[in-house]
Structures are given as structure tokens and as C-alpha cells.
Amino acid sequence: MPSELNRLIQDVFLAPESRMEHISDFDAVCENDRLDKDDERPRPFAAADGWREASVKIQLEAHSIYHRLLLDVIKAACCGSPSKVFHWIPFKLFHHPKPRTGPSVPPPPEWLYGDAYTADALLAENGKIQMKAREDREPGDGPEMEYVPVPLMFAPDSTHSTNFGSASLWPIYLCLSKYMRVCPTSFSAHHLTYIPPLLPNIQSAYEAAYREPASAAMLRFCKCELMQAIWLLLLDDESVKAYIHGVFIGCGDGIVRRIFPRTLTYAADYPEKCLLTCTKFLARCPCTDCRVSKDKVYLMGSKSGMQTRATQRQKDNEHLRHNIVTARRNIFQFGTPPGGILGAASSTPIRSTFSTCLAQFVFDIYYMPMLDLLQEFELGVWKATAIHLVQILFAARGRCVQEMDSHYSKVPTFGRNTNHRFGANDTDFKKLVACDYEDLLQCATPIFEGLLSPHSDAIITAACTALVAGMFRDFFRTLRASTSLLYFEQQYLL
């Protein structure tokens, strides 16, 4: 880069202490060899940063992974400078609107939803922790010791790291604040581990052991087993002990508190949700949150569909755990398929690590996965819809696609990063990222207007309007009011 080249000239070659004899015998090959042999250079998984190497073994293979202990990461996050602005005690936030005209009775206050510290789930956990502080304090804790919950928000990010080849990374991040993690310079997203892929020779290892090739379902089973084994490594005994009794931490604001980690959310796309909750991929009940069957999926977004979703939620109860144990015994001891034991819940014969470690504390794994707007909506629902709309325009023949590209290219930018400049041929969907698809959707309703027949225009306009409304309902960056949520439900539930 020109700026770096300028720095090299000004700060190195033109420095007062610089001498030409310092580089008279410089050899790039020798210097590279010295760097390769230098054991003191910074490493990406340095032990000083808390990284540890461990081995994770499943039925057919063993993996060597680097990870950081969950409790160590929590301590580092609570002691860091970003924690100075944390809200340690959750609360309810209300807005008191003023009367619009005259001395009339003001409207009732509105309940506002924002970061984790105003969430219902964390408020409920804080109530339990404060009850423990009143009735069952830890030995040695004085009355002035604060008992506070710390919400753990996990965010994996599977990434293809090269333009060519199959090199990829699958890190898991831990965040304690929703708003601070969108600022890269805050360093509020902490690495936990990198999930390795299945070994390349797993097919040959499976065929050597069982004399038949592994099916796609079997590979998903092995991947799920690997995911649970890695989380069993992260949720060690010290982390579970801290979940029960808390841990002393000198926080970034100088106050020593007893911190109680509470697993709040896990933002992932649908395939990873299936791995986390041990749910079969696109099975009879495809949803990881409820037991709505495939023949009822068309009701999604309707009032009856929402009621069914609320009454038929997935539950991590003793009955499900007993069925998983029975299914595993049938498979691994008697060599028989599990049959319909797990069919009602579309579960796999694997128990989630979060269920194994935290179910005794009334923790339900099915409440943990949250909607990942980037993966499931922008790069999922809307991308598939946009491709389908473009295919409709191609089928209509004429200049429909060219006119749509022309419409998009004439849209000006808006705001600092609300709407970026469109290219001359965005319908190819080449090298587009999530924010590009978001911009395409924001402008889709007027763009498609007049490209097809009036009847088709009405259908496309209604679909794009519903998608935009759904996106903005979930994209409120600041706060969500209770009346706004109620309005969206009344307007857009069929």
C-alpha cells in the first residue's frame, strides 16, 4: 500500500539513526529462514493468551484442537476495559410518552427491548440469583458483595478462507454485549475455539470398519458427535461450578463481584442449529424450536401457525433423554435401528452437551438458538427469493432483466451505510455479501414495479413488502417498543 511504503521510507530509511551499512549484507532468503526458525515470535494460539491444545475423539477419528477455557474467557471479558460500560444488573426499560394535545391523560408507558440486560430471560435469571443472595449466600461473602448474572452469547462463524480450494475456518466467539460487538475496535468478541472439519479419510475409515460407505446421514451424525465433544471440552467442571456458585472477578470498573455465567443465546444458521440441538436435518419436524410437522409449514407466519408453534415447543425433558439412551443402546449394543422412538421430535440419538451439563439447573437447550438474520434471512430466504424473481424475469423474456439492472443502477446512495451504490449487473449475484442483499431488498418494491403484468406485479410487490417489513422488524438497531411489536404482529400475521 502507498501509505505503508511511505512509512518504510520516512520512518526507516530516512530515520536519523539509519545507516546504509545496516542493510549492506541483507539477504531476503536468509532473513525468511531466520523468521521461520524463531520460536519466540508471536503465535496465533499462544499459551500466554490462554490457548490450550487438546484431543477430541469420536467413534472413528480423533482431532487435535486449540481452545480456551470458557471461564478464562469470561474473566478476561469482565476485566477488560469494555466492561467499564456494562450494565451488570439487568432492568426493565420504559418510555413515558407525553400527551399529544393539551392536559389529557398521558398514554401508558411502553416497555422497551434492547440489549441482553433488558431481556426477559436474563431478568428471570437475575431474580433467581438475587434470591440466592438473600437466602443462600456463598461462605465468606459479605452483604456488600454484588451477585450479578453475565449473559453468554455465542456466535459461530463458518468462513471459506480462500477463493480457491477447500480451506475454511469455523470459529466460535463469545460476546457479552449485543451493541458493543458491532464495533470492531472494542474487541468485545472473544475467541473460544475453532471447530475442525471431519478428517478427509473418514470415508475410508468407515468403510474399513463397517465394509460399506458412509451415507450422508452418517456423516452428519459424526459431525454432530464432534460438535458435542468439543462443547464438552469447553463446558468443563470449573465452568459448571461457576454456573452454580459463581466466581469472584475484579471487574473493569474496579468493583469485585460474584459473577454467575448464564448461557443466553446461540446465533447460528439452520444446519448448525441442528448440530447444536441434535435435531435431524429437514426431517419430519424440521424446526429446532417446535414440533410443527412439514405438512404444517405452510402455516408459518399465520396466527394459527404461531399458536401451534407456541403450544408444540420442543422440550428437553426426561422423556426425551430416556428415548435417546434407549436409541443409542439399540444402535451400539444390539445393532438395530432406533425405529420411531425419536421420530416424534425428529431428534438424533445424541444428547446435547448443554443438556448433559446444565439440564439439572432447569436449562432447556431448545430455547438457546436464536434467529441469525445474516445467515437465515439475508443469505437464506431473501437470496433464494431474489434468485427466483430473476428467473421469473428471464422466463418472461424481453428486456425485463436489463430494465431491472438499469433501475438498480439509478438508485442513489442513502445515509452513511444504509444503502450503497449498486453495480451495473447485480442480478448475476457475483461476489455479493449480506449487506448487498439487504440493500437489494430495501429497494426491491419500486424496482420490480412495471416489469411484469399488473397481476404479477401485485404478487411480487406484496411479497417484497412483507419481506421488507419482516427485515425491519428484526433490524431495529436501537430499541423495540412493545406497541411496535404488537403492531407488526397485527399487520403482518395472516
Side-chain angles (χ1 to χ4, degrees):
M1 295 177 64
S3 59
E4 297 298 323
L5 182 59
N6 291 336
R7 286 182 56 195
L8 175 65
I9 299 299
Q10 298 293 333
D11 299 342
V12 179
F13 291 107
L14 297 182
E17 62 273 13
S18 177
R19 298 290 185 271
M20 291 301 298
E21 55 267 19
H22 292 167
I23 57 174
S24 59
D25 57 346
F26 175 80
D27 185 13
V29 176
C30 294
E31 297 302 325
N32 282 331
D33 290 340
R34 288 178 59 190
L35 288 174
D36 292 338
K37 297 176 181 178
D38 184 13
D39 293 333
E40 301 300 325
R41 69 186 187 278
R43 298 180 181 275
F45 300 109
D49 297 329
W51 289 98
R52 305 185 179 199
E53 187 176 7
S55 180
V56 174
K57 187 176 182 180
I58 60 176
Q59 294 288 336
L60 292 173
E61 57 186 20
H63 293 263
S64 178
I65 68 168
Y66 287 93
H67 73 287
R68 300 169 68 191
L69 295 180
L70 181 59
L71 197 56
D72 290 346
V73 177
I74 294 173
K75 291 179 180 179
C78 293
C79 297
S81 56
S83 65
K84 295 179 181 179
V85 296
F86 281 179
H87 290 278
W88 294 101
I89 300 177
F91 55 87
K92 290 184 179 181
L93 185 62
F94 291 91
H95 168 61
H96 295 269
K98 297 180 180 179
R100 294 186 177 181
T101 56
S104 59
V105 178
E110 292 192 43
W111 190 356
L112 302 181
Y113 302 90
D115 209 335
Y117 48 79
T118 60
D120 292 341
L122 194 63
L123 287 168
E125 291 296 329
N126 183 59
K128 299 176 184 177
I129 292 172
Q130 299 310 319
M131 181 180 297
K132 175 181 176 61
R134 292 190 300 269
E135 302 176 359
D136 185 25
R137 296 185 73 86
E138 294 295 324
D141 288 355
E144 72 283 353
M145 177 64 65
E146 288 188 11
Y147 280 37
V148 297
V150 168
L152 307 182
M153 295 180 283
F154 299 105
D157 185 18
S158 180
T159 306
H160 192 72
S161 55
T162 59
N163 290 331
F164 305 97
S166 58
S168 61
L169 292 173
W170 191 354
I172 296 181
Y173 301 99
L174 171 63
C175 305
L176 303 186
S177 173
K178 183 180 75 173
Y179 293 143
M180 292 189 64
R181 70 182 179 189
V182 302
C183 181
T185 57
S186 67
F187 301 103
S188 57
H190 304 269
H191 284 84
L192 274 180
T193 187
Y194 287 83
I195 302 177
L198 295 177
L199 295 179
N201 63 341
I202 186 172
Q203 277 284 6
S204 57
Y206 185 90
E207 193 167 359
Y210 301 104
R211 299 187 179 182
E212 62 179 21
S215 62
M218 180 55 63
L219 294 179
R220 284 196 296 269
F221 177 87
C222 294
K223 203 170 185 179
C224 188
E225 287 265 287
L226 178 61
M227 168 75 83
Q228 304 309 321
I230 291 175
W231 272 110
L232 191 60
L233 184 67
L234 298 177
L235 293 175
D236 57 348
D237 294 339
E238 291 298 320
S239 300
V240 176
K241 182 180 178 181
Y243 193 95
I244 307 170
H245 303 288
V247 59
F248 275 123
I249 296 180
C251 302
D253 56 3
I255 300 176
V256 179
R257 298 178 174 89
R258 184 172 287 275
I259 301 295
F260 290 83
R262 288 296 180 264
T263 304
L264 195 64
T265 63
Y266 193 102
D269 56 4
Y270 175 72
E272 189 166 348
K273 285 181 181 179
C274 292
L275 294 177
L276 179 71
T277 59
C278 303
T279 303
K280 293 180 181 178
F281 183 78
L282 293 177
R284 174 186 172 186
C285 300
C287 183
T288 58
D289 299 331
C290 62
R291 297 189 178 186
V292 176
S293 58
K294 279 185 177 180
D295 58 342
K296 302 294 183 183
V297 170
Y298 73 95
L299 295 174
M300 183 174 57
S302 65
K303 293 182 179 179
S304 60
M306 294 297 290
Q307 292 174 356
T308 305
R309 178 184 174 89
T311 57
Q312 298 185 14
R313 289 196 63 90
Q314 294 274 26
K315 293 182 180 180
D316 181 20
N317 49 31
E318 192 61 37
H319 177 68
L320 176 61
R321 298 169 207 148
H322 173 74
N323 288 343
I324 292 175
V325 172
T326 303
R328 291 186 70 88
R329 183 173 62 249
N330 292 343
I331 294 173
F332 296 107
Q333 292 186 12
F334 305 114
T336 59
I341 298 177
L342 301 171
S346 292
S347 298
T348 60
I350 304 173
R351 186 178 177 185
S352 172
T353 298
F354 286 92
S355 174
T356 304
C357 298
L358 304 177
Q360 56 182 320
F361 312 119
V362 199
F363 177 84
D364 195 332
I365 177 63
Y366 294 110
Y367 285 85
M368 185 178 168
M370 305 300 292
L371 173 65
D372 188 341
L373 291 173
L374 185 147
Q375 297 289 347
E376 297 189 50
F377 186 83
E378 294 177 350
L379 299 179
V381 175
W382 165 237
K383 181 179 179 180
T385 304
I387 293 174
H388 184 65
L389 291 177
V390 172
Q391 290 174 343
I392 292 176
L393 297 181
F394 274 116
R397 302 184 182 279
R399 299 189 68 259
C400 295
V401 177
Q402 289 75 15
E403 289 182 17
M404 185 187 70
D405 286 332
S406 176
H407 292 173
Y408 269 121
S409 63
K410 295 176 182 177
V411 176
T413 58
F414 181 79
R416 184 174 180 180
N417 53 11
T418 303
N419 192 27
H420 301 85
R421 174 72 66 182
F422 293 105
N425 190 15
D426 280 337
T427 55
D428 283 348
F429 303 111
K430 293 180 178 179
K431 304 288 185 180
L432 298 185
V433 295
C435 63
D436 297 324
Y437 286 103
E438 179 185 337
D439 294 343
L440 290 173
L441 176 57
Q442 289 177 149
C443 306
T445 302
I447 293 296
F448 283 91
E449 185 177 356
L451 295 180
L452 298 172
S453 64
H455 176 70
S456 300
D457 268 351
I459 296 176
I460 293 177
T461 299
C464 292
T465 302
L467 288 171
V468 171
M471 180 181 70
F472 280 105
R473 179 190 63 187
D474 294 320
F475 260 38
F476 287 142
R477 296 291 187 184
T478 54
L479 297 174
R480 306 178 187 181
S482 54
T483 54
S484 301
L485 297 177
L486 181 61
Y487 170 79
F488 275 107
E489 289 181 0
Q490 293 175 345
Q491 291 292 321
Y492 297 102
L493 283 183
L494 305 177

